Amino acid sequence: MAETVRVRRIADEDWDAVVALERDAYTGLGLSEGRAVLQSRAAASPDTCFVLDVGARTAGYVLALPYPFRRYPDLEQAEDTATVSGPGNLHLHDIVVAPDLRRRGLARHLLRHLAGTARARGDERISLVAVGATEPFWSARGFVTHPGVVPTGAYGAEAVYMSRPVPASPALPPSLREVS
């Protein structure tokens, strides 16, 4: 029997799992932010930050914040609600799926949920900073690079700012559809 997959808002009891997932994903890149900073990001925009449950397990999360196009969170500072903006651009700050559950379409499930959230908010674009040589991964999902936005070293050696339009309807482009 397949386990239920559910995306929901982050709750207080999720933070141990979120912090562990973030630490495991980003410490090796020197980009782990720690609990207080992660919680500040979710508190700044709780309607755009989610966890992914697989059965009873918190198996992934996404932190996204409304930021002006070509701007992004400072990794060394907690989020200030004054830095987030209204609809226009939703910045995908973190997306993580537990290593043992990758390659099962769960990240696409989170991306599809995020795209629906952006569309409902009236956003025109979703942006991100691709880290750890992930630019080809994001390019395959329709994101295009914007060179020179992220200063060298701000998010690691190979970081690049990228964005894509928010799909106009719930039907996502083939690159973002979940494959069964």
Side-chain angles (χ1 to χ4, degrees):
M1 183 168 135
E3 292 184 280
T4 302
V5 174
R6 180 174 70 135
V7 176
R8 60 178 174 78
R9 286 186 187 174
I10 299 174
D12 289 341
E13 61 271 11
D14 296 320
W15 284 107
D16 287 344
V18 169
V19 169
L21 287 163
E22 189 267 357
R23 181 190 59 239
D24 293 347
Y26 295 114
T27 297
L29 298 171
L31 302 174
S32 185
E33 298 174 276
R35 181 183 296 262
V37 173
L38 294 171
Q39 287 178 317
S40 76
R41 300 207 195 289
S45 187
D47 294 340
T48 60
C49 297
F50 308 99
V51 292
L52 173 81
D53 293 328
V54 175
R57 177 182 175 191
T58 299
Y61 75 92
V62 62
L63 298 180
L65 301 128
Y67 258 70
F69 183 55
R70 295 180 183 261
R71 296 214 29 225
Y72 50 89
D74 183 333
L75 290 177
E76 297 179 8
Q77 292 186 359
E79 203 61 51
D80 178 354
T81 56
T83 58
V84 296
S85 64
N89 184 67
L90 187 59
H91 185 78
L92 170 54
H93 180 66
D94 275 357
I95 185 168
V96 176
V97 172
D100 62 315
L101 295 174
R102 292 182 184 156
R103 299 193 176 279
R104 297 182 185 190
L106 296 172
R108 283 187 298 272
H109 192 77
L110 279 169
L111 283 171
R112 190 170 46 248
H113 187 86
L114 187 65
T117 299
R119 189 174 37 261
R121 284 177 27 86
D123 291 309
E124 297 172 6
R125 302 196 74 69
I126 297 174
S127 64
L128 57 87
V129 176
V131 300
T134 59
E135 181 182 348
F137 173 86
W138 293 109
S139 291
R141 281 139 190 89
F143 286 81
V144 297
T145 61
H146 302 279
V149 175
V150 180
T152 302
Y155 270 65
E158 300 177 41
V160 62
Y161 188 90
M162 303 179 80
S163 75
R164 66 162 291 133
V166 171
S169 70
L172 294 177
S175 61
L176 288 182
R177 285 193 194 130
E178 192 166 353
V179 178
S180 301

